[in-house]
Amino acid sequence: MKTVFVTVGTTSFDELIETITSYEAARALKARGYERLVLQVGRGLLLPAADSCPQVGLEVFRFKDSIADEIKQADLIISHAGAGSCLEALGAGKPLLVVVNDKLMNNHQLELARQLHMDSHLLYCTCSTLTETLRTMDLSVLQPFLPGQPKNFADFLDRVLGVQ
Amino acid sequence: MAVLLVAAYVFITISLLFVIRLYTVVKTGQKHRPGDRGPVAVLVVAGSGGHTTEILRLMECLSSAYTPRHYVIADTDRMSEEKICTFENSKQHSGSRSQFTICRIPRSREVHQSWSSSAVSTLNALRYSLPLVFRVRPDMVLCNGPGTCVPLCVAALLLGILGMKKVLIVYVESICRVQTLSLTGKILYPLSDYFFVQWSSLRDKYPKSIFLGRIV
């Protein structure tokens, strides 16, 4: 079953949860063949009931020690702009749509999401354009995100420190 | 009056000596090669959350020549200790004998804390950092941005200024930083011996920095 996983990280992002469970957004998901919607809602006030979104199968939780399983099972990840969530989703090789919370201005975490968007590693929208993005997005434009190379760091350090 | 003059003279002389020593310690860092003499003792500032994940990615590739490893975490941080132990135990399985300790110090700055109260709690953290660094006497400090870095690096510099031991300061700016350095990064840029950034836009703005692509 094609699954969408929505994650808001350690904070809350009620506007995203509200938009993605709206009739229009759920219909757009359904039209793309997604049948299961898993929401990680964090500290949000909004905790949608399992039957509040009849077009798709809805599962909701606040936190888990690790969201690695949810990411692994997902075919599309919709995430807040947090660096940790972005890197985890991209590291797992999943298509990622980042929804920016435009109520949080000057958030330095946006820097990374913006750059990764410029490098075509993820799609980028706000809550007000989310439904439209779900209708029109083209996931095939996304470029794979190669893992960083800590070996280069280790080799450099070995050389300058004289480690044999 | 004369006493005051003498006091002022002594104060100025000591400050001047201090500045000259600081300059020498920072400038001569890159000639210092602790690896030539055997294992390199590392003080790893883990911080919390994403910082810990990133720094453990860096530690993954360091050979067993970097021994022992002393991890410093904030005393309010529960997750990092677990992550570090899991990491070190997996390293043990891969052959190299694990030699590590975990030290806790008060956090110098919580997220969103104001600058003035940050200054006070950083001074407080310095009270714990000094004895820790003077006891461990590492060959290098590896850090990547949590506020806890600053007092520990100050303590490391002090070891050098006093002529007790040159401690190399290796700073890796978080991958989250694309256009601007973190506050810790800005403070440690002039003081560190090796300053790594992970995006070319930062390398262009900070010529002293080292850019090897993404390394976490």
Side-chain angles (χ1 to χ4, degrees):
Chain A
M1 209 190 305
K2 272 180 84 179
T3 301
V4 179
F5 176 50
V6 180
T7 176
V8 308
T10 52
T11 56
S12 66
F13 194 176
D14 282 337
E15 198 187 350
L16 169 59
I17 300 302
E18 192 181 345
T19 314
I20 195 70
T21 52
S22 71
Y23 176 78
E24 288 297 316
R27 210 172 66 162
L29 287 177
K30 180 84 181 168
R32 285 195 162 257
Y34 297 108
E35 295 177 308
R36 189 165 157 256
L37 180 59
V38 183
L39 308 178
Q40 183 261 320
V41 301
R43 279 187 242 146
L45 298 172
L46 218 62
L47 199 69
D51 56 358
S52 62
C53 207
Q55 298 98 323
V56 290
L58 189 63
E59 289 164 40
V60 185
F61 66 93
R62 284 198 182 276
F63 293 106
K64 276 185 189 171
D65 282 345
S66 164
I67 54 167
D69 287 340
E70 278 71 23
I71 287 181
K72 214 165 82 188
Q73 287 167 17
D75 299 283
L76 169 69
I77 292 162
I78 299 178
S79 166
H80 74 130
S85 306
C86 291
L87 293 173
E88 201 171 350
L90 292 179
K94 300 291 178 166
L96 172 64
L97 169 58
V98 165
V99 183
V100 176
N101 190 348
D102 40 17
K103 298 203 171 67
L104 293 177
M105 297 306 273
N106 291 326
N107 184 341
H108 80 79
Q109 299 240 346
L110 289 184
E111 272 188 33
L112 181 67
R114 251 185 227 131
Q115 180 67 41
L116 293 172
H117 172 62
M118 263 159 50
D119 296 345
S120 299
H121 295 306
L122 52 82
L123 300 173
Y124 193 80
C125 69
T126 61
C127 284
S128 53
T129 58
L130 175 59
T131 306
E132 186 55 26
T133 306
L134 289 175
R135 281 196 200 107
T136 58
M137 67 185 179
D138 177 8
L139 296 179
S140 67
V141 302
L142 293 178
Q143 298 293 317
F145 180 76
L146 301 173
Q149 299 293 321
K151 185 83 176 64
N152 291 346
F153 168 75
D155 290 345
F156 183 95
L157 217 54
D158 283 354
R159 201 173 68 242
V160 293
L161 263 55
V163 170
Q164 301 301 314
Chain B
M1 192 63 192
V3 177
L4 258 178
L5 267 177
V6 171
Y9 178 75
V10 169
F11 179 77
I12 290 168
T13 312
I14 290 176
S15 312
L16 207 65
L17 277 175
F18 190 85
V19 170
I20 293 169
R21 276 298 297 165
L22 175 65
Y23 184 81
T24 322
V25 166
V26 174
K27 282 292 159 196
T28 57
Q30 304 211 348
K31 294 193 193 104
H32 192 72
R33 292 163 62 90
D36 287 338
R37 293 190 307 271
V40 180
V42 193
L43 190 78
V44 186
V45 190
S48 58
H51 286 301
T52 307
T53 311
E54 278 196 31
I55 211 141
L56 289 181
R57 282 274 293 156
L58 295 173
M59 295 303 293
E60 260 169 39
C61 283
L62 291 188
S63 70
S64 54
Y66 296 85
T67 301
R69 296 171 293 280
H70 304 279
Y71 293 90
V72 185
I73 59 178
D75 56 2
T76 49
D77 183 12
R78 279 157 256 124
M79 293 287 281
S80 292
E81 180 164 4
E82 207 180 299
K83 280 189 195 163
I84 292 164
C85 290
T86 311
F87 166 73
E88 281 289 341
N89 290 335
S90 69
K91 216 176 166 120
Q92 205 164 19
H93 288 305
S94 65
S96 68
R97 212 167 75 79
S98 205
Q99 286 183 29
F100 76 101
T101 64
I102 293 181
C103 329
R104 293 171 174 276
I105 66 166
R107 206 186 259 249
S108 66
R109 185 168 179 268
E110 296 284 350
V111 178
H112 303 311
Q113 196 178 341
S114 80
W115 280 55
S116 54
S117 87
S118 293
V120 172
S121 45
T122 300
L123 278 178
N124 186 39
L126 193 57
R127 264 184 31 219
Y128 293 84
S129 306
L130 281 172
L132 172 64
V133 174
F134 277 61
R135 177 170 56 81
V136 170
R137 294 204 184 198
D139 293 300
M140 69 177 246
V141 177
L142 175 63
C143 54
N144 70 344
T148 318
C149 299
V150 177
L152 287 163
C153 289
V154 168
L157 280 170
L158 205 58
L159 269 181
I161 290 168
L162 296 174
M164 294 163 78
K165 182 169 191 178
K166 167 64 196 176
V167 184
L168 287 170
I169 296 176
V170 178
Y171 183 86
V172 181
E173 186 59 282
S174 165
I175 192 166
C176 308
R177 292 300 182 152
V178 180
Q179 296 291 342
T180 57
L181 291 183
S182 62
L183 177 58
T184 310
K186 282 177 192 148
I187 296 171
L188 292 180
Y189 178 68
L191 299 174
S192 55
D193 299 292
Y194 299 100
F195 190 95
F196 293 86
V197 294
Q198 305 199 51
W199 294 98
S200 57
S201 38
L202 277 180
R203 188 238 348 244
D204 298 343
K205 282 182 201 161
Y206 293 92
K208 199 195 96 172
S209 63
I210 303 157
F211 173 66
L212 306 171
R214 279 187 282 112
I215 52 178
V216 301

